[in-house]
Amino acid sequence: MCSAARTFPDGFLWGSATASYQIEGAYDEDGRTFSIWDTYSRTPGRVLNGDTGDVADDHYHRWSEDVGHIKNLGLHAYRFSLAWPRIQPGGSGAFNPRGIVFYSRLVDALLQSGVQPVATLYHWDLPQELEDAGGWANRDTALRFADFAAHVAGQLGDRISVWTTLNEPWCSAFLGYASGVHAPGRTDPAAALAAAHHLNLGHGLAGRAIRSVLGEQAQVSVTLNLHVTRPDDPDSAADRDVIRQLDAVGNRVFLGPMLDGAYPQDLLEDTASVTDWSFVKDGDEATIAVPLSVLGINYYSTSRARRHFGDSPREHADGHKESDVSPWVGADDIDFLTQPGPYTAMGWNIDPSGMTELLTDVGARYPDVPLMVTENGAAFYDRVSADGRVHDADRVSYLHRHIDAVGTAIDSGVDVRGYFLWSLLDNFEWAWGYDRRFGIIRVDFDTLERTWKDSAYWYAELIRANALPPVDRIPTHSAVGSTAG
Ligand code: FCB
């Protein structure tokens, strides 16, 4: 089928996303204190090449230029996150007016440019002091997060279109506290499940705090990286049970309490040898089930798994060592298998059908909850050509196929309200440092100069037309805006 003519519903929200630690830099300015990522990135061996977010894209000083790019791209909405240690140094007690001023100016500039601000309250930069007190494994962190949310809601008020409480709590809990490949780098499966619960609780408390400050009409959301995992052998009951298990500890651990008001029974059983879940107190699940205005979904790729039997050697799709701790708590006897390519520079397989499948599946499970793709995009090893441009045809192709896949889900009746491309700018890609580039705008990490890649021109054309352009339609600089490139 030729998808060149695919159009999107009127009012479909086209955006792009970033996160505070990945772009801001200015790690010690205007009263900001350390987050767990400042500590983690300074720990030898944790981040590729020893990179840190100390400077990152220097967005803290270049935000005005970046809003210019957002405007020239024609984005309807911009999803960014708020650095908790900037706004409330240490994570409790007094708030820092200089921290909020930064975001207040950014939000005003977006609004003046006709761009809706979509604010994420937590994109992984927990104040270090809260981690020292137990981090997300400690219930009090959820209460501190609600205080932070209430304060920010009071300060930014109705200028924010959508409030996203958490970004990808699966990563915070399981990569942060079980496998340790993200900050704070702990490898304690019981702590990871406690963290998952306290993140859920923090979401519920923060969502309720936002509505108590701004009123019931405030748009409250959360962003989940739901996993699309296929059974190695769809006819094998054992493999199908693996998929159920991964769906429980990867997806329903959040969807259950947030949207059904309860943890799934099979999750509690699968993890019974790790924890008795006594950290879930009476009323917590009801608190967590704060009504969602929209559910944010991040999608990048798929995986394939099967039951591991006996003494046969373990297989690991990502090549990690046998001794590494798995993030899949309670699901130890599972092999993840190599997916067919092609792959992005992250080693993630490119599979747009997973996008359609995920949106369709969640849409069927929760037909009353509107969905928004809050992240999708790809890292590739971009090259600057002799003409000074970045001809990132592989990224354009990835975006084309995935946005088309979103359209397929919409065609089948799923209520998808918008799409946010990850990412606006090349940035600090967590444990991969500056080595993996996801931006549609290139950042030269020596000069911090920004250059539109072909994918940025292509995306601007898509937004202008509200229709999917062919991959080779890369408009010229002058066609899209005076400060582009
Ligand atoms: C997601 C994160 C985002 C970015 C992309 C590539 O897991 O939310 O910050 O790193 O992956």
Side-chain angles (χ1 to χ4, degrees):
M1 169 198 147
C2 173
S3 53
R6 179 184 283 294
T7 59
F8 287 83
D10 285 346
F12 191 79
L13 210 58
W14 295 107
S16 186
T18 63
S20 48
Y21 190 73
Q22 295 180 276
I23 65 166
E24 286 179 1
Y27 76 103
D28 62 350
E29 286 185 43
D30 294 336
R32 182 188 181 279
T33 50
F34 260 35
S35 76
I36 54 176
W37 271 97
D38 295 277
T39 307
Y40 190 80
S41 63
R42 280 172 170 69
T43 308
R46 292 301 206 176
V47 175
L48 190 62
N49 302 321
D51 290 342
T52 72
D54 287 6
V55 178
D57 293 340
D58 195 32
H59 171 76
Y60 192 73
H61 298 114
R62 293 166 197 254
W63 61 272
S64 177
E65 177 191 345
D66 292 339
V67 172
H69 291 297
I70 289 167
K71 181 178 181 187
N72 288 324
L73 281 163
L75 299 185
H76 304 153
Y78 172 58
R79 173 177 180 252
F80 61 98
S81 80
L82 302 150
W84 189 349
R86 239 183 240 301
I87 295 170
Q88 190 181 29
S92 57
F95 292 94
N96 172 24
R98 288 178 296 172
I100 206 74
V101 158
F102 170 71
Y103 297 104
S104 192
R105 278 197 206 122
L106 173 69
V107 165
D108 285 344
L110 290 168
L111 291 172
Q112 277 156 22
S113 304
V115 179
Q116 296 183 30
V118 172
T120 301
L121 288 167
Y122 184 72
H123 200 128
W124 307 352
D125 38 5
L126 185 72
Q128 181 61 42
E129 291 78 357
L130 296 186
E131 176 55 32
D132 296 342
W136 286 107
N138 179 11
R139 185 178 179 90
D140 190 55
T141 299
L143 309 182
R144 300 281 66 76
F145 182 58
D147 283 355
F148 167 66
H151 176 76
V152 173
Q155 297 289 314
L156 300 181
D158 60 8
R159 291 178 286 164
I160 300 297
S161 295
V162 178
W163 295 92
T164 301
T165 55
L166 307 172
N167 176 72
E168 300 191 351
W170 185 85
C171 295
S172 301
F174 296 100
L175 301 184
Y177 292 83
S179 67
V181 299
H182 276 187
R186 288 168 62 182
T187 48
D188 177 348
L193 291 172
H197 176 60
H198 297 135
L199 284 152
N200 278 329
L201 183 62
H203 158 76
L205 291 169
R208 289 170 197 283
I210 290 164
R211 290 219 173 101
S212 77
V213 172
L214 296 177
E216 285 306 307
Q217 78 292 345
Q219 300 282 301
V220 170
S221 182
V222 65
T223 278
L224 303 178
N225 58 316
L226 299 172
H227 303 263
V228 181
T229 311
R230 272 92 185 238
D232 183 34
D233 175 2
D235 295 328
S236 148
D239 288 3
R240 287 200 308 271
D241 193 56
V242 163
I243 303 310
R244 175 204 59 73
Q245 237 181 316
L246 296 176
D247 184 48
V249 75
N251 301 333
R252 288 181 286 120
V253 61
F254 302 107
L255 292 172
M258 287 178 179
L259 287 159
D260 303 323
Y263 284 100
Q265 192 57 35
D266 60 332
L267 171 70
L268 306 184
E269 287 161 13
D270 289 344
T271 55
S273 64
V274 181
T275 178
D276 61 6
W277 290 80
S278 56
F279 42 73
V280 181
K281 306 295 180 203
D282 280 355
D284 282 3
E285 287 156 303
T287 300
I288 296 166
V290 58
L292 287 182
S293 312
V294 59
L295 172 63
I297 292 187
N298 292 355
Y299 174 80
Y300 290 94
S301 70
T302 57
S303 52
R304 195 160 58 99
R306 72 174 176 209
R307 179 71 70 211
H308 175 83
F309 287 110
D311 298 329
S312 53
R314 300 293 297 271
E315 292 192 41
H316 295 291
D318 57 2
H320 68 261
K321 294 187 299 298
E322 178 68 20
S323 59
D324 286 355
V325 184
S326 165
W328 298 98
V329 176
D332 299 328
D333 51 349
I334 287 173
D335 287 334
F336 283 93
L337 305 167
T338 305
Q339 286 281 51
Y343 308 98
T344 69
M346 299 297 284
W348 299 345
N349 65 306
I350 300 175
D351 185 353
S353 73
M355 172 74 94
T356 308
E357 184 180 321
L358 177 58
L359 293 171
T360 311
D361 179 40
V362 178
R365 287 198 218 186
Y366 303 105
D368 299 335
V369 182
L371 307 180
M372 189 113 89
V373 176
T374 38
E375 283 182 30
N376 172 245
F380 288 105
Y381 290 109
D382 301 320
R383 300 272 169 272
V384 182
S385 300
D387 61 4
R389 302 272 298 257
V390 180
H391 300 297
D392 56 341
D394 34 18
R395 184 173 290 102
V396 171
S397 162
Y398 178 100
L399 295 170
H400 183 281
R401 296 178 64 199
H402 285 77
I403 293 171
D404 189 36
V406 174
T408 306
I410 295 172
D411 287 349
S412 74
V414 185
D415 183 6
V416 187
R417 301 283 173 91
Y419 173 94
F420 289 70
L421 195 162
W422 184 274
S423 180
L424 180 70
L425 304 164
D426 290 338
N427 60 48
F428 176 84
E429 178 46 40
W430 309 115
W432 300 100
Y434 297 102
D435 194 69
R436 301 290 197 277
R437 294 174 176 273
F438 273 92
I440 54 171
I441 297 179
R442 179 180 174 84
V443 176
D444 179 320
F445 291 113
D446 295 322
T447 65
L448 297 167
E449 189 189 347
R450 278 85 160 128
T451 307
W452 286 32
K453 303 178 191 177
D454 281 1
S455 53
Y457 293 95
W458 179 87
Y459 193 50
E461 170 64 13
L462 182 161
I463 296 169
R464 191 196 58 71
N466 199 29
L468 196 62
V471 290
D472 56 1
R473 189 181 303 159
I474 312 293
T476 56
H477 179 147
S478 55
V480 284
S482 56
T483 71

